[in-house]
Amino acid sequence: MELEKLQDKARLLRRHIIEMTSAAGSGHPSSSLSAVEVVVGLYFGGIIRHDPHRPWWPDRDRFILSKGHAAPVLYAALAEAGYFPASELETLRRNGSPLEGHPRMREVPGVEASTGSLGQGLSIGVGHALAARLDGRGYHVYVMIGDGENDEGQVWEAALSAAKYHLANLTCIVDHNGYQQTGPVAEVMPLAPLAEKWRAFGWQAREIDGHALSQVLDALRAARDAHGQPMVILARTVKGKGVSFVEADYAYHGKALTPEEAERALEELGWR
Amino acid sequence: MEVSGFVTGAATREAFGRALRELGSEDPDLVVVDADLGNSTRTELFARAFPERSFNVGIAESNLVGVAGGLAACGKKPWIASFAVFLTANAYDQLRMSIALPHLNVKCVGTHGGITPGEDGPSQMGVEDIALATALAGFHVFVPADAVQTRAVVRAAARIDGPVYIRCGRPSAPLVYPLGCDFRPGKAIRLRQGTDITLATNGVMLALALKAAWMLEEEGVSARVLDLASVKPVDEDALESAARETGALVVAEEHLSHGGLGSIVAQVLARRCPVPVGFVNLGDTYARSGKPAELLEAYGLTAEDIAARAREVLRRK
């Protein structure tokens, strides 16, 4: 898909994110908005080999959203990719809907892991990557974690084990939007220098502008073709990207926009 | 650990390691993940036989559980093992999120259960693992008593397409089933008939409960002995029959007082047939370092303690 069309797709995912969380009256739109370009690159930029009609095809590439609170961006991408009708997105968080507040494995086609308790997705990804090796399958495993999620010790346990087993078929993407629940990452729990930390744990590391689709695609291709050691992509992003008043205030973490705010947001995104 | 009246067999952890190696030769999808305790949990027997299907993730129980979840999601059949306390208490949220919630086919084995790890002291003793494991939705939970039953339990667990927790012990275990054991999930094993009271137990305490039954016999008390190696699902019918036919129970376990076998049995009896029940357990405290037999005595977990509790319960009938 051409860059321009990918940008259109990103704009469409942002619309879905805002509409579904506002309809639900809760959720984490800002944490979803920061991850849009990476998710668009994965699903629509020719990175992930997958088949929406065979969601559990054994040779599919895997995408594990470890920062499960960004479920809306995953659901939006899966709907646009053809896993289920986009009309289902409005059932987000409703009783009886498979689109729960955080992703639940096997409930939704294309959801690879139950996440929402931060820190666990990379370990699950290590399991998938080891299984690929055991079964002689060529699939690649992509795991997205939040930057605050790096506070979790399990992330580093998983990082050590991926390096030990030379899991070049595993990629970790850090949605480095700079904020966690109660404030800036740099204040809550300083992570810098983050790339150096990952390198010290035996990973290849690459830092990119996580909203520049050409950089996103280049990095994902490099990670997919990595040899020897797994690669982490530190995607510098903006929490709430695309909606000025959400970008400006991290207090929007974990809050849906009111109907009036959603209208303003959709206007800024060019949907009104 | 020796118990008079019984031949001493291998430790249940050793029997687990042997059974796992046996299963490994039968099922190429079986893989083992360890957190650097393979020589204690005895998974090293499998690792030596099948190094390409064996992974040691280091001293990292959270990662251990998550990696197993990922392997199971891809159709592999992972078995993971650590000390009971580290596997359940250290990695509990991982057991919950990465295995129980998606109901994945992961077999979890906690060795060094109870206070019989002995000299290593309370940091190494899994005395709340049954409470934690049974609270995981969809988990089966088994506690074998001896080496023979452990093999049967491990093989039964392998046939279950879902999560299982098995508790094993550190010391050599008295042989309760020298002639073989027909273990079935959800089924209690009635080891001894009896009409006055039922002693319901499992694991190390089973041999001690049999000894207690022999003591009570000499006093003219006829005690039934039920092996509840299948803790979850527990055999509700066998418990109801025991309550109706003997009118009183003692539940003995190598566990803290809350949330273990005693709580499970009490819940069933409250619903199906309330009768007087007594409990033999560690109470609400942690043990100290010492020899296993010394600790069982110090913390009230001997055959004499079970018999004494039975006499007390009989007075309440």
Side-chain angles (χ1 to χ4, degrees):
Chain A
M1 206 181 272
E2 300 156 22
L3 273 187
E4 207 169 291
K5 287 190 175 160
L6 289 177
Q7 280 158 359
D8 287 345
K9 201 60 103 176
R11 211 163 61 89
L12 182 56
L13 257 55
R14 289 199 159 87
R15 174 185 176 162
H16 285 319
I17 290 165
I18 287 161
E19 287 182 339
M20 73 175 110
T21 52
S22 292
S26 66
H28 299 75
S30 65
S31 312
S32 304
L33 290 169
S34 62
V36 164
E37 276 75 16
V38 170
V39 170
V40 164
L42 284 166
Y43 281 91
F44 306 102
I47 301 296
I48 287 187
R49 288 166 303 169
H50 67 126
D51 180 355
H53 302 294
R54 288 185 298 159
W56 311 120
W57 173 42
D59 288 310
R60 73 195 182 279
D61 288 339
R62 274 74 159 159
F63 174 59
I64 294 168
L65 183 68
S66 189
K67 48 172 281 186
H69 54 289
V73 71
L74 175 61
Y75 297 154
L78 290 173
E80 283 300 319
Y83 283 86
F84 52 86
S87 57
E88 279 188 29
L89 293 173
E90 66 190 35
T91 68
L92 176 74
R93 290 174 166 252
R94 282 197 206 149
N95 188 12
S97 169
L99 305 182
E100 298 197 32
H102 293 77
R104 188 148 169 193
M105 182 185 165
R106 292 182 175 169
E107 291 284 312
V108 184
V111 170
E112 298 281 0
S114 295
T115 55
S117 177
L118 293 173
Q120 302 193 26
L122 193 58
S123 295
I124 295 168
V126 169
H128 280 262
L130 287 173
R133 180 175 296 174
L134 285 165
D135 290 338
R137 297 186 189 277
Y139 62 78
H140 198 96
V141 184
Y142 302 88
V143 179
M144 176 182 272
I145 68 174
D147 48 5
E149 192 171 356
N150 284 271
D151 298 354
E152 292 278 7
Q154 188 183 352
V155 170
W156 302 99
E157 294 181 4
L160 285 172
S161 60
K164 170 184 172 179
Y165 290 108
H166 310 290
L167 297 178
N169 60 344
L170 175 69
T171 296
C172 181
I173 303 144
V174 180
D175 182 17
H176 204 349
N177 61 31
Y179 286 93
Q180 51 200 98
Q181 173 117 5
T182 63
V185 165
E187 290 176 18
V188 175
M189 186 51 65
L191 296 170
L194 190 55
E196 281 82 343
K197 284 189 173 70
W198 281 89
R199 288 193 186 104
F201 276 68
W203 287 56
Q204 308 180 58
R206 198 159 158 160
E207 295 182 79
I208 61 164
D209 175 343
H211 296 305
L213 275 163
S214 58
Q215 289 187 42
V216 167
L217 289 173
D218 281 350
L220 288 174
R221 286 188 197 112
R224 180 187 62 193
D225 300 335
H227 289 291
Q229 290 304 101
M231 184 181 286
V232 62
I233 298 170
L234 303 180
R236 282 189 307 278
T237 57
V238 175
K239 197 159 183 172
K241 176 70 175 178
V243 182
S244 61
F245 55 95
V246 179
E247 288 184 20
D249 186 359
Y250 68 79
Y252 274 99
H253 179 95
K255 274 189 201 160
L257 302 186
T258 64
E260 296 74 30
E261 289 172 329
E263 277 306 306
R264 274 173 61 203
L266 292 172
E267 198 176 320
E268 284 192 18
L269 289 166
W271 288 105
R272 291 291 185 268
Chain B
M1 197 181 69
E2 290 189 6
V3 175
S4 63
F6 294 89
V7 173
T8 302
T12 50
R13 63 181 166 127
E14 180 69 25
F16 153 64
R18 291 176 193 161
L20 194 59
R21 182 178 55 192
E22 187 179 76
L23 282 175
S25 64
E26 298 168 18
D27 188 346
D29 280 331
L30 198 152
V31 300
V32 170
V33 194
D34 261 308
D36 205 38
L37 286 172
N39 54 346
S40 291
T41 63
R42 307 308 295 145
T43 53
E44 74 171 8
L45 298 175
F46 179 96
R48 279 199 215 119
F50 309 102
E52 72 290 350
R53 286 191 267 149
S54 184
F55 304 96
N56 182 350
V57 298
I59 309 161
E61 291 78 16
S62 303
N63 191 40
L64 169 77
V65 174
V67 168
L71 284 161
C74 298
K76 311 313 288 182
K77 297 171 186 169
W79 285 67
I80 60 177
S82 183
F83 286 10
V85 63
F86 306 145
L87 185 55
T88 57
N90 192 327
Y92 196 65
D93 186 35
Q94 287 73 19
L95 289 171
R96 181 175 181 274
M97 282 299 298
S98 294
I99 296 180
L101 185 59
H103 197 73
L104 288 170
N105 184 22
V106 179
K107 305 301 182 297
C108 311
V109 179
T111 65
H112 297 61
I115 64 172
T116 44
E119 292 87 340
D120 280 339
S123 68
Q124 315 298 300
M125 295 173 177
V127 289
E128 57 283 275
D129 58 327
I130 303 305
L132 293 168
T134 53
L136 292 164
F139 260 67
H140 285 70
V141 178
F142 304 142
V143 182
D146 71 2
V148 174
Q149 189 177 40
T150 299
R151 178 174 178 272
V153 162
V154 167
R155 296 187 70 82
R159 287 191 292 272
I160 293 169
D161 183 17
V164 178
Y165 175 76
I166 301 171
R167 178 208 262 198
C168 291
R170 186 187 78 90
S172 58
L175 273 175
V176 178
Y177 295 100
L179 304 177
C181 175
D182 179 21
F183 171 81
R184 278 173 290 171
K187 290 285 168 201
I189 299 172
R190 198 189 291 188
L191 271 166
R192 197 172 188 281
Q193 308 299 330
T195 52
D196 298 328
I197 192 165
T198 298
L199 312 179
T201 185
N202 60 27
V204 165
M205 302 304 289
L206 185 58
L208 303 176
L210 284 165
K211 255 186 88 172
W214 301 335
M215 292 174 187
L216 291 167
E217 189 73 45
E218 287 175 13
E219 301 164 20
V221 174
S222 165
R224 180 178 298 187
V225 176
L226 275 189
D227 178 4
L228 299 179
S230 180
V231 177
K232 185 185 174 187
V234 77
D235 191 339
E236 298 198 2
D237 292 340
L239 285 169
E240 183 181 336
S241 302
R244 290 197 189 288
E245 292 160 19
T246 70
L249 281 89
V250 170
V251 187
E253 60 185 321
E254 204 187 350
H255 193 274
L256 292 174
S257 55
H258 290 73
L261 187 65
S263 300
I264 290 166
V265 170
Q267 216 174 69
V268 172
L269 294 179
R271 194 155 36 77
R272 305 254 317 234
C273 183
V275 294
V277 186
F279 302 95
V280 174
N281 54 47
L282 184 55
D284 190 32
T285 187
Y286 299 106
R288 304 180 60 85
S289 283
K291 289 191 166 55
E294 291 171 352
L295 293 179
L296 290 175
E297 198 174 328
Y299 292 93
L301 299 173
T302 63
E304 288 75 11
D305 293 304
I306 297 170
R309 181 63 59 209
R311 290 180 206 112
E312 182 268 322
V313 175
L314 283 168
R315 287 196 292 275
R316 288 196 270 133
K317 259 177 98 169

